[in-house]
Amino acid sequence: MTDQIAERIVDCILECREKGIKNDELIVKELMTKFDGKENDFYWAIEMMNTGGFIASIMSSGNSYPKSNIKIEDNPILKVAFKKCRIDLKGEAYFINNYGKKKKWWKIF
């Protein structure tokens, strides 16, 4: 899955929630009408989105998130959800300064 598709899926979930649709089953039905994929994949996407928001919220509160077997960069939905939540909580400038692409030290030379 590309980051662009992940972002569209996350945006669709957010739109559903903004419309008042909180039930995962109804959100999955909406996702299935707009995207190709299996029902379980969309439930997993919702779970990864919730996890990304949870991690971003903990980190935004000033606490560190313990290391886990899931790395934010390993899952496009998790990565997009984390980014959107972190920007929402701390601002885009903060996100870019702390998580933006950093130059590789060897490319300086």
Side-chain angles (χ1 to χ4, degrees):
M1 172 184 307
T2 66
D3 286 346
Q4 292 81 15
I5 292 172
E7 187 159 359
R8 289 182 25 224
I9 290 172
V10 168
D11 287 341
C12 184
I13 295 169
L14 290 172
E15 287 172 15
C16 287
R17 289 179 176 171
E18 287 172 7
K19 291 178 187 174
I21 303 170
K22 306 287 185 198
N23 184 310
D24 288 351
E25 188 176 319
L26 296 175
I27 294 172
V28 166
K29 286 181 182 180
E30 181 71 21
L31 290 169
M32 290 181 74
T33 65
K34 294 184 177 184
F35 303 97
D36 284 336
K38 298 175 187 165
E39 187 175 355
N40 286 340
D41 294 337
F42 294 124
Y43 278 109
W44 180 251
I46 292 170
E47 189 63 35
M48 287 295 97
M49 186 176 154
N50 293 340
T51 302
F54 178 71
I55 293 169
S57 296
I58 288 176
M59 293 174 73
S60 292
S61 71
N63 296 311
S64 61
Y65 187 76
K67 290 189 177 199
S68 69
N69 59 347
I70 299 175
K71 294 184 180 176
I72 293 171
E73 306 83 29
D74 291 347
N75 183 287
I77 298 285
L78 181 62
K79 182 169 54 172
V80 169
F82 175 81
K83 177 182 176 183
K84 285 185 175 283
C85 188
R86 195 74 164 146
I87 288 172
D88 188 45
L89 294 169
K90 289 287 198 172
E92 192 167 359
Y94 179 88
F95 184 84
I96 291 169
N97 287 336
N98 291 285
Y99 299 100
K101 294 187 179 199
K102 300 185 190 253
K103 286 187 175 183
K104 308 285 188 214
W105 66 267
W106 60 86
K107 292 195 176 187
I108 296 171
F109 301 105

